Amino acid sequence: MKDVELNEVDQEKQLMNRETQKNGCVKVTVPENAEVKYTGLSKDELMKITNTAGWVQTRRALLGLFLLGWVGMLAGAIVIIVQAPRCKPIPEMNWWNEGPLYQISDVNAFSEKGLKGVEEKLDYLSHMNVKGLILGPIHTVEGNQLDTLDLVSVKSAVGTENDLKSLLDQAHKKGIPMVLNLTPSYDNTAVWFNNVTAVAEKIKDACTHWLKKGFGGIFLPDLRNIMTTKSWQSTQALFNKTEETKQVALMGSFTNLSADDVSLMLNRSGVDLLLTELLDPPETSVEKKLYPSHLQTSLGWTLGSLASRSQAAPVRLYQMLLFTLPGTPVFSAGDEVGLKSGEKPQIMWDLENPAEEKNATAKTLQEERIAVRNFFKTLSDLRGKERSLLHGEYVSLYSSATSLAFLRLWDQSSRFLTAINWGNASVIMNLSNSDLPAQAQVRLTTDAVNLAVDSMVSLEKLKLEPKQAVLFSYPYAG
């Protein structure tokens, strides 16, 4: 409460008494926290106002503006969608097209434990981003004796049928389909025993048997011979793509196949994947096999075995070539670390054990093999996630007797440019294509000193040193 002088208020409202007549002032007491309470309009008053013509028109105008704005935004979104560039449909891909296939021909050389040892290395294969495993041959046969051929057995030297079943089960769990190599006579130059007709019937029965066991495909060598038999058509029928067999593959190869015959034999054989061997060293005929009409999903590149090839080019050069060419790259066990002829695959597993510090030579060799394996792993990862490398178009940019450059591109995805020089002299490449930018980023190289990874390099008159390979990339520019 506080005292207030009446002379603080309107004089006309002061009450007059004797005291005020004397001094014109009187003291009154008012509450100190007196507040004016606002009650607002009543419901009836609001209803009267909202139904007036002015408020009705205002509400209608605001609703109309809202609807016009919504329609405008919808129309704008439709225009953007219509004018936006359409993405190309992704081609149909099978598991054998999604990454590298890994061949283990000699199971006991790969691991002293045979089939059990292969099972133990499945995590290693997964880490290397391997998409399929070609195993064997593992069936029994004695020398060049056709009557000893048993294509539905497992030779005791590599393990038992239970070992094979366990391997198949674990491989399926890890997403690694397995292909069985059914080369009839694998210890003899005459793989068909010089009696392909008799063997062909056994091949058909063996395909039926092993596909039921869970194999994701069958590999057959030198198809030129078996294609002429009466059994071949019925064998092919086992792999006709139905709901049950759409994930199984018939793979094969030809010996001494010229570049001009690749397309013809691919169509005649009807195989899902034709393995064709790259020449040593690579020559310009590699481009002759890349016909525009070829289905990339039906062509596989193999080196046979890097260990048996000449040292005309470093192993990493071959790795880059296979991983960036159209088609499926197929490697033999040991190729990922650059095993040489006569070296045992056990060396791969010893890389996890540090070399003796005192043995400088062994330490240097181990570091080099680990670097080669990391190079392989990087390429394998890129191949699996980059659409241009996985199923992109192939555009030739430069070709000579000792060097090659080509472009892989797909729709709006990042572009990849491979440049390789396997010659003994440096080469300057004049690259020309409307899609090429002035500069590109180095993604991987065999010479990190002169071409550092992630550096930007001019593509005008690109110079490569001897035995050098480099993988560039650049973004889609519209």
Side-chain angles (χ1 to χ4, degrees):
M1 303 292 286
K2 67 176 182 177
D3 294 334
V4 180
E5 297 288 344
L6 279 182
N7 59 4
E8 297 177 6
V9 298
D10 191 350
Q11 295 291 324
E12 294 180 359
K13 295 182 180 180
Q14 294 185 22
L15 298 176
M16 301 298 294
N17 54 31
R18 293 180 179 178
E19 300 230 353
T20 58
Q21 289 177 355
K22 294 179 180 179
N23 50 33
C25 173
V26 66
K27 290 184 178 181
V28 295
T29 301
V30 296
E32 186 174 350
N33 297 323
E35 296 180 356
V36 179
K37 186 176 181 181
Y38 176 73
T39 59
L41 297 177
S42 66
K43 179 179 179 181
D44 293 334
E45 291 172 329
L46 286 173
M47 293 300 296
K48 289 179 181 181
I49 294 174
T50 56
N51 291 326
T52 60
W55 278 107
V56 171
Q57 293 176 358
T58 300
R59 289 199 304 273
R60 289 176 178 175
L62 291 174
L63 179 61
L65 289 174
F66 170 78
L67 292 175
L68 285 175
W70 183 83
V71 171
M73 289 188 294
L74 179 61
I78 293 174
V79 170
I80 291 174
I81 293 173
V82 171
Q83 293 183 345
R86 287 179 169 80
C87 295
K88 292 177 65 174
I90 302 297
E92 183 180 354
M93 303 289 288
N94 298 294
W95 62 260
W96 54 89
N97 308 126
E98 295 175 351
L101 303 183
Y102 194 86
Q103 295 185 107
I104 302 178
S105 300
D106 190 337
V107 174
N108 286 333
F110 182 78
S111 172
E112 296 177 351
K113 297 181 181 179
L115 294 174
K116 290 183 178 179
V118 175
E119 181 179 336
E120 292 175 357
K121 301 303 180 184
L122 289 176
D123 286 335
Y124 166 79
L125 298 180
S126 295
H127 176 70
M128 301 304 289
N129 204 24
V130 168
K131 297 302 182 181
L133 175 60
I134 303 177
L135 183 71
I138 59 172
H139 55 264
T140 58
V141 63
E142 296 180 11
N144 195 29
Q145 302 176 42
L146 177 57
D147 57 349
T148 65
L149 176 64
D150 187 356
L151 292 171
V152 296
S153 65
V154 177
K155 61 181 179 181
S156 58
V158 300
T160 65
E161 290 193 16
N162 286 335
D163 295 334
L164 181 59
K165 182 179 183 304
S166 178
L167 172 58
L168 280 167
D169 291 342
Q170 292 304 312
H172 288 167
K173 289 180 181 179
K174 297 181 184 299
I176 303 178
M178 290 182 57
V179 176
L180 184 61
N181 185 336
L182 285 181
T183 300
S185 180
Y186 47 87
D187 289 332
N188 193 286
T189 55
V191 296
W192 297 102
F193 296 96
N194 296 317
N195 190 349
V196 66
T197 303
V199 178
E201 195 63 33
K202 291 179 178 250
I203 289 289
K204 186 186 73 172
D205 295 338
C207 289
T208 303
H209 174 81
W210 291 119
L211 291 178
K212 288 181 179 179
K213 293 290 185 180
F215 274 93
I218 299 295
F219 171 82
L220 299 173
D222 198 6
L223 295 175
R224 186 181 280 105
N225 290 321
I226 195 173
M227 282 170 49
T228 62
T229 65
K230 295 181 180 179
S231 302
W232 179 242
Q233 190 172 0
S234 57
T235 300
Q236 279 184 300
L238 298 174
F239 298 86
N240 288 341
K241 294 298 175 277
T242 64
E243 199 60 35
E244 294 182 357
T245 63
K246 64 181 180 180
Q247 292 300 321
V248 298
L250 176 59
M251 302 181 186
S253 65
F254 289 90
T255 57
N256 302 319
L257 190 65
S258 67
D260 295 330
D261 290 337
V262 171
S263 182
L264 180 63
M265 289 303 172
L266 181 59
N267 293 328
R268 285 184 177 179
S269 65
V271 295
D272 296 299
L273 191 67
L274 176 64
L275 274 58
T276 179
E277 188 168 336
L278 200 65
L279 297 179
D280 180 20
E283 296 179 1
T284 54
S285 61
V286 67
E287 292 200 291
K288 294 181 181 178
K289 296 183 180 181
L290 298 173
Y291 296 104
S293 59
H294 267 178
L295 291 175
Q296 294 181 18
T297 54
S298 299
L299 186 63
W301 292 105
T302 176
L303 298 170
S305 174
L306 284 175
S308 63
R309 300 174 73 84
S310 72
Q311 297 303 309
V315 58
R316 281 184 281 190
L317 186 149
Y318 284 115
Q319 290 178 352
M320 182 175 291
L321 187 59
L322 260 68
F323 271 114
T324 58
L325 280 173
T328 300
V330 183
F331 293 93
S332 294
D335 287 350
E336 71 272 31
V337 297
L339 285 187
K340 296 180 176 61
S341 180
E343 293 180 327
K344 296 182 179 180
Q346 180 60 37
I347 294 174
M348 295 190 296
W349 321 129
D350 293 338
L351 293 180
E352 308 307 321
N353 303 320
E356 296 181 6
E357 291 292 335
K358 296 180 180 180
N359 192 336
T361 302
K363 185 177 180 181
T364 301
L365 182 59
Q366 184 181 62
E367 291 174 350
E368 170 62 19
R369 282 177 169 152
I370 292 175
V372 170
R373 186 179 64 185
N374 292 339
F375 192 86
F376 180 99
K377 175 68 164 55
T378 301
L379 284 168
S380 186
D381 290 343
L382 281 172
R383 175 75 182 218
K385 68 182 181 181
E386 295 292 348
R387 289 182 176 177
S388 290
L389 292 177
L390 192 59
H391 46 67
E393 301 171 28
Y394 174 93
V395 179
S396 176
L397 298 177
Y398 182 89
S399 180
S400 73
T402 59
S403 57
L404 182 68
F406 55 88
L407 184 64
R408 299 295 308 280
L409 52 89
W410 176 262
D411 198 24
Q412 302 172 46
S413 300
S414 296
R415 278 78 167 105
F416 284 84
L417 190 161
T418 300
I420 299 177
N421 176 22
W422 56 85
N424 295 318
S426 61
V427 62
I428 295 178
M429 298 180 174
N430 294 311
L431 308 180
S432 177
N433 188 275
S434 59
D435 193 85
L436 288 178
Q439 291 184 321
Q441 182 184 24
V442 177
R443 296 297 297 269
L444 201 59
T445 175
T446 59
D447 184 6
V449 176
N450 296 316
L451 290 172
V453 174
D454 294 333
S455 63
M456 298 299 294
V457 175
S458 173
L459 298 180
E460 183 180 2
K461 294 183 178 180
L462 178 65
K463 182 178 181 180
L464 289 187
E465 299 300 329
K467 315 297 184 185
Q468 187 179 26
V470 59
L471 180 64
F472 298 99
S473 72
Y474 60 92
Y476 169 73

